[in-house]
Amino acid sequence: MQLFVKAASLGLSVLLVCSTALGYYESHRNFPSKRGFSKSIPSKKGNLFFKDEAPPPVTVAPSHEGVTFECEAGGSPQPTIHWLKDGERIEQGVFDNSIEEETSFEDKTDKRGQRLLRLGSTKGKLFLDCLGQESEGTYSCVAETPYKRISRSSELQIDNVANTLPMGIDTQRCLVKRSMKDGEPARIYLWTANRIEMEGADVQLFCRATGYPKPVITWVDIEGNLVQKGDDRYKILSNGDLLIHKISWKKNLGVYNCIATNPTGTDKTETFLYPTTP
């Protein structure tokens, strides 16, 4: 009952967390308490799956416009997501090394050496602007953990009924006009949707953004307060992720907001964190 009251006050349901992050369904009449909840969680190492919102098999979009692909995957550990076009990786962020792409900064075991849950769901977006004939192809959402990789694809088809110029000219004009006007707005392309972990662990929440000029990432905690530098409870990593130290039910259960901002736009996402105990 304590969990139901606190989750309801946030406008959330623990049912959502279970079904989204774990592929695990509970009855609304059986809200678990924090104690012993982890025993009922299917935390098989390497578990990885897509949600229904993965890209449709075929996507049709008008030329000169934009389209956004989105997919969500859950598993243990929480997966990362990247995108391919015709088998070639699309770069969405600039990282110094591959470590920054993974959950490399969070705890993997507890103080006794026992493996942590590391359960979560991740959402990813691919933004395509100024579509032209050359944009057609197969776009794949790839979700992966250190143990497994899965993918789903969508065939992008461009509707060129209104295109009277030679192939590629409209797209070039669109891109030049857009870059000269404002740059590229801040847009978040990868973030943690839901996360479940044992109390006392350090947890890493994803938030990666693209844009020009480079977006500034800020985080807002469950109380609506801006995460400040020097706060020993948190650390905002160079890639935009939030590292939360020694999570607890009382202090960390709730919604965290990631905000990406640059002079041409602002984007915002939400992450629900659920600390639990054995």
Side-chain angles (χ1 to χ4, degrees), residues 86-99:
D86 297 329
E88 296 292 328
R89 180 160 180 169
I90 301 171
E91 297 299 329
Q92 288 185 280
V94 179
F95 302 107
D96 294 333
N97 52 65
S98 60
I99 291 178

Side-chain angles (χ1 to χ4, degrees), residues 159-173:
D159 181 359
N160 275 321
V161 173
N163 188 3
T164 58
L165 294 176
M167 183 184 301
I169 292 182
D170 274 1
T171 304
Q172 293 174 12
R173 288 182 178 179

Side-chain angles (χ1 to χ4, degrees), residues 112-252:
R112 298 172 298 173
Q114 298 296 313
R115 186 171 62 88
L116 293 169
L117 297 175
R118 306 191 70 199
L119 289 162
S121 64
T122 305
K123 288 187 176 182
K125 286 185 176 182
L126 176 64
F127 305 99
L128 300 177
D129 302 309
C130 302
L131 296 174
Q133 200 68 32
E134 66 278 7
S135 304
E136 289 191 327
T138 300
Y139 291 83
S140 303
C141 172
V142 181
E144 62 180 339
T145 71
Y147 312 105
K148 190 174 182 180
R149 173 185 293 184
I150 57 176
S151 66
R152 281 190 178 176
S153 300
S154 181
E155 187 75 22
L156 177 61
Q157 300 176 359
I158 303 302
D159 181 359
N160 275 321
V161 173
N163 188 3
T164 58
L165 294 176
M167 183 184 301
I169 292 182
D170 274 1
T171 304
Q172 293 174 12
R173 288 182 178 179
C174 177
L175 290 170
V176 170
K177 181 179 179 181
R178 185 167 177 266
S179 63
M180 291 178 62
K181 182 180 179 182
D182 293 317
E184 297 181 3
R187 294 186 288 196
I188 298 172
Y189 65 85
L190 177 75
W191 71 98
T192 300
N194 297 289
R195 187 73 166 82
I196 300 178
E197 191 51 271
M198 306 298 290
E199 285 190 308
D202 287 358
V203 169
Q204 183 177 345
L205 307 180
F206 295 147
C207 184
R208 319 278 172 83
T210 185
Y212 183 80
K214 182 180 178 180
V216 174
I217 300 292
T218 55
W219 282 86
V220 176
D221 67 17
I222 61 173
E223 303 295 335
N225 300 317
L226 192 67
V227 173
Q228 303 286 351
K229 289 184 178 180
D231 189 333
D232 58 8
R233 297 173 299 172
Y234 306 103
K235 181 179 181 180
I236 299 179
L237 304 174
S238 60
N239 58 11
D241 295 353
L242 179 66
L243 184 64
I244 307 177
H245 298 293
K246 295 179 171 53
I247 64 170
S248 72
W249 165 274
K250 184 176 181 180
K251 296 181 180 180
N252 300 112

